[in-house]
Amino acid sequence: DHYCDANNVCGESCAEIDIQEANQHAWHSTLHSSLDHGGQGVGYGGGTSWDGPRDFGAKEYGPGGRCIDTTRPFQVAASFPTAASGMLAAMEVALVQEGSPCPLKMKIDDYKDMSELSASLAAGMTPVISY
């Protein structure tokens, strides 16, 4: 086994796609090239001193949230559409909950290092799920 990520955790940097970094109060989806530690993300949360994305708020996502009530089950869908050239065009993430009037949809389609992510996916980037 060999693990790598954009933060060089095990001594090796590589491109990284974070579909879900979340808890009951925060959600982030982020694209990273091998040298882009911060990456480009979408989502919500992280505390008042953090300057990350704020695509929605606690009224929409969290315990008792209007769109996603995190005390109840919800579904996550991630897609990776490509351009006609085969290059990765975007990462799209949708959070949907039965009975909710408003799914939360996020999209990153302007990441500066999309070509590196495309090459990593074509080379067989392996999904890792952890909690």
Side-chain angles (χ1 to χ4, degrees), residues 10-80:
C10 291
E12 184 71 30
S13 291
C14 64
E16 177 182 358
I17 298 174
D18 297 313
I19 297 170
Q20 175 180 343
E21 296 178 291
N23 60 33
Q24 279 195 313
H25 304 281
W27 179 282
H28 295 280
S29 299
T30 310
L31 298 177
H32 302 266
S33 67
S34 59
L35 301 176
D36 184 7
H37 304 298
Q40 182 176 337
V42 291
Y44 165 72
T48 57
S49 64
W50 190 65
D51 66 351
R54 299 285 192 258
D55 298 298
F56 43 86
K59 291 181 181 176
E60 291 79 34
Y61 178 92
R66 181 175 72 86
C67 301
I68 301 295
D69 177 352
T70 58
T71 66
R72 298 182 22 238
F74 60 94
Q75 289 72 47
V76 177
S79 60
F80 300 90

Side-chain angles (χ1 to χ4, degrees), residues 72-105:
R72 298 182 22 238
F74 60 94
Q75 289 72 47
V76 177
S79 60
F80 300 90
T82 57
S85 65
M87 179 78 65
L88 181 65
M91 174 174 68
E92 300 172 348
V93 179
L95 311 181
V96 180
Q97 190 167 54
E98 187 175 324
S100 167
C102 46
L104 297 177
K105 296 181 179 182

